[in-house]
């Protein structure tokens, strides 16, 4: 088959190599090489001509040796493009460090449960007490007396005592069946398939001599896919391996053990609501059941939240943080932002959006916000931390973004340089005192007063016309 | 420019080639047998050091002969002095033949 012939022509090689040459030198560099190629063609065969043209790459790379001086690098670092590239690199770093955003994908993709719209989490004593979980006694009362649930299951999670992986969770035998989870190996979760497998703290060891676990697909692959596994010095039978896409609470949970909570233990509760019941009706019914059993008003306050809502609340948490940050920053935004032009506005919007995306991804991936919002029974500090991280991060982004914008040239958007302090700071009444910054391309000068006064603009931009260009020419 | 520039043998060879009357990159390649990826970067470096000077041929002259104008290199005065010292350091350079 005949390939694209133009790709292996010497002139094409020279033109391709010219892309590596700094733009300022490119025209003359290419002119010389194409001329030399013209003369080389008269004296050399096609094969030698190709070797000759290949040398253009070496020459092109060499051009950078003296081109990228420290001075020039610092000039490049002032450009808007460099700023955008740096922020984009941070975002890419977050994506790589998190292992391609497992949490974020969990938030944005459809949940891996059968009919997820009908699945709810249940909080006792109001949502503020959600993290404290629901007592095992209340769960048993609801299981026995409620007519509004198809099924009700419990879950708790913990990090291994040594602090190392794997992360494990305790769930009731009907947990996976309730969610409609699929297996990629071992038993299915139909009916009471896992009832004899309980190994949790509330389980009777004599009733279940065969302790077993359910593993996440990735963890199972990581331990070479055996049918038995040793954890904390004990050997467990691998009862089932979950479908690769399955997650609940956190994609990092590797080991699922079966065990119902004791009556006094607090646990997270997940339930499937019957279609003909509204959320309000179910909440009322569950509250009545608890009151009838002798629990007080506070303990009988029940609140249901859809699992999908809980998962997406990580995004709401970010939106709330961003909203608060904007409210706090807004008063200074009007005063401090430079006058708008479409290019500057686009740069500001893109820069801020990328930075906010970085904060959002950091918040979701590294504080495990999605797990927390679905949870009963984790440490109470983590959820506020993620919300605070969002808010402080958003504020930091907005403050930096505005400050950066103010210190950029209104024409070329480069960072201003050659900082000079002008005037006498103690003579503010009669004289102007402040800092002056200059665009290194000679587009203008920014005057920043030492102290903001109500009778003067905070920053004043003076455009420099072409007659100043001689001062800014570079070799 | 430093008082004394120590050239590599390759750079000295290229300088000697230019001193011998070869005037442009491909010419230097043909005379020395060095590849283009060595000759052209060396020419840039020598020019940066002020040892050679490049000039573009006049367009009118090249057009009259129906060919593109080419870039010529020639030794500068410091280049000639440096070459003289390089020849002492690398005696074999003396055997370079001049361009016809």
């Amino acid at each position: 088959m005949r390939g694209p012939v133009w790709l292996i022509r010497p002139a094409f090689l020279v033109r391709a190599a010219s892309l590596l040459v700094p733009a300022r030198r490119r025209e003359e560099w290419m002119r010389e090489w194409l001329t030399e190629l013209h003369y080389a063609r008269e004296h050399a065969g096609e094969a030698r001509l190709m070797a000759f043209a290949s040398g253009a790459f070496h020459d092109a790379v060499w051009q950078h040796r003296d081109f990228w001086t420290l001075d020039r690098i610092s000039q490049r670092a002032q450009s808007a493009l460099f700023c955008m590239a740096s922020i984009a690199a941070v975002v890419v770093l977050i994506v790589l460090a998190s292992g391609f955003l497992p949490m974020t994908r969990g938030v944005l993709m459809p949940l891996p449960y059968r009919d997820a719209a009908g699945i709810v989490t249940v909080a006792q004593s109001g949502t503020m007490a959600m993290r404290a979980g629901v007592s095992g006694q209340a769960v048993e009362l609801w299981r026995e007396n409620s007519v509004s649930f198809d099924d009700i299951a419990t879950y708790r999670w913990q990090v291994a005592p040594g602090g190392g992986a794997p992360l494990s969770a305790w769930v009731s035998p009907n947990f996976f069946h309730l969610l409609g989870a699929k297996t990629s190996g071992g038993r299915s979760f139909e009916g009471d398939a896992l009832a004899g497998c309980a190994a949790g703290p509330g389980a009777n060891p004599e009733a279940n001599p065969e302790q077993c676990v359910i593993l996440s697909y990735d963890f199972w692959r990581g331990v070479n896919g055996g049918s038995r596994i040793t954890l904390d010095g004990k050997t467990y039978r691998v009862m089932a391996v979950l479908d690769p896409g399955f997650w609940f609470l956190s994609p990092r949970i590797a080991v699922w053990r079966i065990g119902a909570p004791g009556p006094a233990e607090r646990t997270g509760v997940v339930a499937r609501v019957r279609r003909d019941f509204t959320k309000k009706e179910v909440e009322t019914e569950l509250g009545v059941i608890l009151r009838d059993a002798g629990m007080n008003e506070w303990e009988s306050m029940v609140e249901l939240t859809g699992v999908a809502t809980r998962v997406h609340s990580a995004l709401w948490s970010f939106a709330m943080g961003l909203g608060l940050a904007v409210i706090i920053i807004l008063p200074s935004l009007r005063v401090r932002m430079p006058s708008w032009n479409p290019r500057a506005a686009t740069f500001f919007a893109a820069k801020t959006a990328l930075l906010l995306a970085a904060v959002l991804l950091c918040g979701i991936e590294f504080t495990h916000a999605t797990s927390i919002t679905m949870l009963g029974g984790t440490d109470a500090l983590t959820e506020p931390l993620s919300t605070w991280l969002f808010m402080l991060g958003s504020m930091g982004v907005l403050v930096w973004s505005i400050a950066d914008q103010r210190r950029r040239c209104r024409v070329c958007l480069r960072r201003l340089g050659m900082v000079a302090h002008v005037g006498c700071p103690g003579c503010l009444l009669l004289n102007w005192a402040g800092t002056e910054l200059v665009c290194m391309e000679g587009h203008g000068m920014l005057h920043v007063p030492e102290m903001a006064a109500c009778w003067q603009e905070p920053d004043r931009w003076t455009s420099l016309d072409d007659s100043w260009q001689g001062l800014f020419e570079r070799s | 420019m430093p008082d004394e520039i120590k050239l590599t043998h390759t750079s000295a060879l290229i300088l000697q080639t230019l001193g011998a009357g070869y005037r442009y990159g491909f010419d230097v390649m043909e005379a020395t047998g060095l590849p283009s990826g060595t000759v052209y970067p060396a020419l840039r470096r020598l020019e940066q050091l002020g040892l050679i000077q490049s000039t573009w041929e006049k367009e009118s002259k090249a057009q009259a002969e129906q060919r593109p104008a080419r870039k010529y290199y020639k030794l500068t005065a410091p280049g000639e002095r440096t070459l003289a010292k390089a020849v002492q350091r690398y005696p074999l350079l003396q055997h370079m033949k001049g361009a016809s």
Side-chain angles (χ1 to χ4, degrees):
Chain A
M1 194 180 79
R2 212 176 151 191
V5 177
W6 55 272
L7 270 177
I8 50 166
R9 285 195 175 153
F12 175 79
L13 288 183
V14 170
R15 284 177 202 282
S18 75
L19 297 175
L20 302 173
V21 178
R24 287 182 190 195
R25 296 178 178 176
R26 191 173 298 145
E27 193 181 341
E28 185 173 350
W29 182 92
M30 198 154 79
R31 186 180 168 204
E32 182 181 8
W33 268 94
L34 290 176
T35 305
E36 292 291 294
L37 197 62
H38 172 87
Y39 290 102
R41 189 167 277 123
E42 291 174 0
H43 297 92
E46 193 65 25
R48 208 169 143 231
L49 212 57
M50 288 299 292
F52 173 79
S54 306
F57 284 95
H58 191 257
D59 190 30
V61 171
W62 191 90
Q63 293 286 325
H64 287 270
R65 229 170 69 167
D66 63 319
F67 187 82
W68 291 108
T69 57
L70 273 178
D71 182 44
R72 207 175 290 267
I73 289 169
S74 80
Q75 279 174 28
R76 289 286 158 124
Q78 290 162 354
S79 70
L81 191 67
F82 181 86
C83 174
M84 291 300 293
S86 305
I87 301 169
V90 169
V91 174
V92 170
L93 205 66
I94 293 168
V95 171
L96 295 177
S98 64
F100 295 95
L101 311 177
M103 294 279 186
T104 312
R105 280 186 283 130
V107 172
L108 299 177
M109 304 285 279
L111 293 172
Y113 318 132
R114 176 172 44 84
D115 189 19
I119 302 173
V120 295
T121 55
V122 185
Q124 193 182 7
S125 310
T127 40
M128 293 304 286
M130 178 70 189
R131 283 186 302 276
V134 177
S135 68
Q137 182 196 1
V139 177
E140 280 311 306
L141 285 168
W142 291 333
R143 197 191 303 278
E144 286 163 15
N145 302 305
S146 173
V147 292
S148 55
F149 285 149
D150 274 333
D151 203 355
I152 184 165
T154 59
Y155 61 89
R156 288 155 295 147
W157 71 314
Q158 62 181 48
V159 182
L167 214 64
S168 64
W170 298 99
V171 295
S172 56
N174 61 336
F175 176 81
F176 294 108
H177 176 65
L178 185 150
L179 294 178
K182 290 176 185 160
T183 57
S184 59
R187 277 189 205 176
S188 75
F189 299 124
E190 291 305 316
D192 56 354
L194 301 175
C197 191
N204 177 5
E206 289 175 7
N208 57 321
E210 182 191 51
Q211 295 205 340
C212 52
V213 290
I214 291 143
L215 300 182
S216 73
Y217 182 79
D218 289 340
F219 182 68
W220 179 69
R221 287 279 303 269
V223 294
N224 301 321
S227 60
R228 291 187 184 276
I229 183 172
T230 304
L231 297 165
D232 308 329
K234 289 181 193 168
T235 302
Y236 295 85
R237 198 155 84 86
V238 178
M239 189 60 98
V241 177
L242 289 160
D243 208 42
F246 179 85
W247 72 280
F248 188 85
L249 291 173
S250 164
R252 294 192 310 140
I253 294 178
V255 181
W256 300 83
R257 301 168 202 239
I258 307 300
E265 279 184 287
R266 313 287 295 187
T267 180
V269 176
V270 64
R272 186 176 286 281
V273 179
R274 288 201 171 132
R275 285 182 187 278
D276 42 351
F277 284 88
T278 63
K279 182 181 160 223
K280 191 74 195 162
E281 286 170 344
V282 179
E283 284 173 351
T284 308
E285 188 214 15
L286 298 183
V288 168
I289 292 170
L290 295 182
R291 264 193 300 276
D292 290 349
M295 290 192 187
N296 61 36
E297 280 297 316
W298 173 250
E299 286 177 322
S300 307
M301 280 172 60
V302 176
E303 190 161 334
L304 267 60
T305 316
V307 171
T309 309
R310 285 230 164 269
V311 171
H312 295 144
S313 67
L315 294 177
W316 288 114
S317 171
F318 175 75
M320 189 183 74
L322 179 61
L324 280 171
V326 169
I327 289 167
I328 294 167
I329 297 295
L330 206 58
S332 62
L333 188 72
R334 227 182 42 192
V335 180
R336 295 189 175 190
M337 278 303 287
S339 55
W340 291 100
N341 68 55
R343 195 161 164 253
T346 308
F347 170 65
F348 178 75
K351 173 178 65 175
T352 311
L354 261 182
L355 280 168
L356 287 173
V359 171
L360 173 65
L361 294 179
C362 264
I364 290 180
E365 294 299 328
F366 303 127
T367 66
H368 309 291
T370 47
S371 324
I372 293 152
T373 52
M374 286 172 78
L375 206 261
T378 185
D379 62 310
L381 284 174
T382 326
E383 186 175 1
L385 178 69
S386 67
T387 311
W388 277 100
L389 184 83
F390 284 161
M391 198 178 87
L392 292 176
S394 308
M395 276 178 65
V397 162
L398 290 172
V399 166
W400 181 85
S401 211
I402 293 167
D404 179 68
Q405 198 75 9
R406 288 173 66 204
R407 290 290 182 270
R408 285 186 180 273
C409 172
R410 307 315 188 233
V411 179
C412 66
L413 296 177
R414 282 177 175 279
R415 288 280 294 187
L416 301 170
M418 292 201 283
V419 181
H421 299 286
V422 178
C424 159
C427 317
L428 284 175
L429 188 63
L430 300 173
N431 283 315
W432 187 89
T435 308
E436 288 183 347
L437 303 101
V438 180
C439 169
M440 306 301 275
E441 298 293 321
H443 294 125
M445 187 184 282
L446 183 71
H447 311 268
V448 184
E450 188 75 27
M451 285 176 67
C454 60
W455 68 85
Q456 61 183 186
E457 289 176 60
D459 293 350
R460 188 164 51 83
W461 174 256
T462 308
S463 293
L464 299 177
D465 61 25
D466 291 344
S467 63
W468 293 82
Q469 281 302 313
L471 284 175
F472 297 95
E473 278 175 8
R474 290 197 205 99
S475 57
Chain B
M1 195 186 74
D3 290 341
E4 190 178 343
I5 299 166
K6 284 192 176 173
L7 298 177
T8 62
H9 185 268
T10 305
S11 298
L13 178 62
I14 290 169
L15 205 60
Q16 169 73 340
T17 312
L18 291 172
Y22 297 92
R23 294 172 65 197
Y24 52 90
F26 187 73
D27 228 6
V28 174
M29 276 178 60
E30 291 285 83
T32 58
L34 291 169
S36 60
T38 302
V39 169
Y40 289 93
L43 288 172
R44 321 259 180 250
R45 182 165 171 262
L46 291 172
E47 190 172 15
Q48 262 178 12
L49 291 170
L51 303 181
I52 61 172
Q53 189 182 20
S54 67
T55 45
W56 279 98
E57 185 183 17
K58 283 187 177 169
E59 284 284 353
S60 55
K61 187 185 172 194
Q63 276 176 5
E65 294 175 19
Q66 294 187 324
R67 59 180 178 78
R70 69 192 318 171
K71 197 176 186 181
Y72 289 120
Y73 294 89
K74 67 172 184 183
L75 288 189
T76 60
E80 283 173 4
R81 286 197 295 274
T82 306
L83 177 61
K85 286 177 187 168
V87 169
Q88 286 174 0
R89 195 172 169 207
Y90 305 114
L92 279 175
L93 290 179
Q94 291 170 5
H95 300 292
M96 165 71 74
K97 287 180 183 173
S100 55

